[in-house]
Amino acid sequence: MSDATDTGRYLRLTVDLVVEVTDVAALQAAALKEIRHPEADLDADERQEQIDLVNGDETGAAALQWLIEPDHVLSLVDHIDEVEPREAMLGVEPSDGTLEDEDDPHDHDHD
């Protein structure tokens, strides 16, 4: 039996999640609190750039991106013994409120 690390088999997991922002101002305030936190790994210029980005985004996408840790996504597969989580990347963008490609026959809902 071959060792899984020798085979180089990797799978990319794609998850689409649509959220409704009910209070953009509160979302932005929470993100700004994170950005201003002393442990945020930002210098003064980067901090101001992120503050301006969050304040200038009326959708709340920039704020939400500050509040979700990409590594939290890795916990989606922590309970599966046959896989080893490697890395996660997060992207947040405005949506019309529905998932795209809902008619894709390869989609599988696991609610």
Side-chain angles (χ1 to χ4, degrees), residues 1-65:
M1 189 159 106
S2 67
D3 184 7
T5 57
D6 292 338
T7 63
R9 293 184 185 163
Y10 293 91
L11 301 173
R12 180 179 300 233
L13 175 67
T14 303
V15 177
D16 286 336
L17 171 67
V18 175
V19 299
E20 180 181 0
V21 179
T22 58
D23 189 340
V24 173
L27 184 64
Q28 289 171 326
L32 294 173
K33 182 178 176 183
E34 290 293 317
I35 292 167
R36 292 182 175 124
H37 193 279
E39 292 183 14
D41 191 23
L42 300 168
D43 65 31
D45 289 339
E46 291 171 327
R47 190 177 312 272
Q48 188 58 53
E49 180 181 341
Q50 292 301 311
I51 289 170
D52 293 343
L53 185 65
V54 167
N55 284 331
D57 179 14
E58 296 176 2
T59 68
L64 184 59
Q65 193 156 355

Side-chain angles (χ1 to χ4, degrees), residues 80-95:
I80 303 171
D81 294 334
E82 295 80 11
V83 299
E84 179 66 33
R86 294 293 180 191
E87 65 179 340
M89 184 172 64
L90 174 69
V92 179
E93 60 189 42
S95 169

Side-chain angles (χ1 to χ4, degrees), residues 53-109:
L53 185 65
V54 167
N55 284 331
D57 179 14
E58 296 176 2
T59 68
L64 184 59
Q65 193 156 355
W66 262 97
L67 298 171
I68 300 175
E69 291 290 329
D71 287 345
H72 294 167
V73 176
L74 297 178
S75 67
L76 294 172
V77 295
D78 278 346
H79 68 285
I80 303 171
D81 294 334
E82 295 80 11
V83 299
E84 179 66 33
R86 294 293 180 191
E87 65 179 340
M89 184 172 64
L90 174 69
V92 179
E93 60 189 42
S95 169
D96 65 2
T98 60
L99 292 176
E100 296 175 10
D101 301 328
E102 287 185 340
D103 296 330
D104 187 345
H106 299 291
D107 285 347
H108 301 282
D109 288 337

